[in-house]
Amino acid sequence: MQQSIDELIKGRRSIKKFQEKSVALEEIIDLLEVAKWAPNHKMTEPWRFLLYSGEGKEKYIEAFKATQGTGEEAAEKAAKKAAYFRSIPIHLVVIMPEDPRQKTWDEDYGAVSAFIQNFQLAAWARGIGMIWRTNDWIYNPVFREKVGVQPGEKIVGTLMIGYAEHVPEAKPRTSIREKLEIISE
């Protein structure tokens, strides 16, 4: 039975633990095709993607490790995180152009964020989970260069994608009435 859009939005969770089961790349491409229907001003489609799966994940992992500093403690911490990254079926880096005009930059960022939400919801409807990350290393020039982000581009986030090993409980949300000011006169 298909969920209503309300149920889908309320039921989606950020997934941090994934099954070893791989996700078909064609399914990811199909989900990206669905997500591209996000609103974007003047139909600029301001998104670009780098997808890492299988052995290709090592390039992503090596780029991450190159940002983690030197020393035994840093190496241990990076090795632990790298093992976790290897356990995730797919890593998707979502990129947008950084337009120098603030209005265009804001519109593009909004469009890419809407794209990511569409992608998350469409995937969740098919039983595929993910987490949208904006960790500090995505801003590191070493990581950016190693994964192929061009000058003048911004990483909006990295999406870690797969079938959920664990689905967390919902966290409480503040009533919208506490955040809403109604001006009617």
Side-chain angles (χ1 to χ4, degrees):
M1 181 172 160
Q2 193 169 1
Q3 296 180 31
S4 73
I5 190 69
D6 293 10
E7 293 169 326
L8 193 61
I9 291 169
K10 290 177 182 179
R12 188 208 57 80
R13 299 285 176 273
S14 292
I15 301 301
K16 296 178 185 173
K17 293 185 180 184
F18 299 92
Q19 298 175 25
E20 288 183 26
K21 179 181 172 185
S22 64
V23 180
L25 293 181
E26 282 304 313
E27 181 142 41
I28 296 298
I29 292 167
D30 187 47
L31 289 165
L32 292 168
E33 289 286 352
V34 170
K36 75 181 181 188
W37 291 91
N40 61 103
H41 190 67
K42 298 183 182 175
M43 295 298 297
T44 58
E45 299 181 321
W47 38 72
R48 184 170 86 81
F49 313 96
L50 301 168
L51 189 146
Y52 298 89
S53 70
E55 294 302 314
K57 291 188 288 187
E58 287 305 314
K59 183 174 182 179
Y60 178 90
I61 291 165
E62 289 306 313
F64 156 75
K65 286 169 57 177
T67 68
Q68 297 304 295
T70 56
E72 194 174 315
E73 189 177 325
E76 272 184 41
K77 191 175 177 183
K80 186 176 179 181
K81 186 70 95 171
Y84 169 64
F85 287 165
R86 284 185 189 96
S87 76
I88 298 168
I90 294 174
H91 297 267
L92 185 71
V93 179
V94 182
I95 302 163
M96 66 173 255
E98 289 205 280
D99 196 292
R101 298 165 295 182
Q102 188 66 52
K103 181 180 184 293
T104 302
W105 194 100
D106 289 348
E107 289 170 345
D108 289 351
Y109 189 79
V112 175
S113 295
F115 182 106
I116 291 171
Q117 179 68 347
N118 280 358
F119 182 65
Q120 290 183 113
L121 291 172
W124 192 254
R126 297 183 191 191
I128 299 167
M130 67 186 71
I131 187 164
W132 175 358
R133 297 268 193 195
T134 54
N135 299 92
D136 59 348
W137 67 81
I138 70 172
Y139 300 95
N140 188 308
V142 173
F143 179 82
R144 293 168 50 81
E145 183 178 320
K146 285 186 174 289
V147 297
V149 175
Q150 303 300 313
E153 289 184 317
K154 174 185 178 47
I155 298 174
V156 177
T158 58
L159 305 180
M160 298 169 180
I161 305 166
Y163 294 100
E165 177 74 28
H166 170 73
V167 176
E169 292 294 321
K171 293 180 181 173
R173 301 295 201 272
T174 303
S175 169
I176 206 67
R177 293 180 186 283
E178 293 180 34
K179 306 256 182 195
L180 175 66
E181 181 179 349
I182 300 172
I183 298 96
S184 58
E185 290 183 24

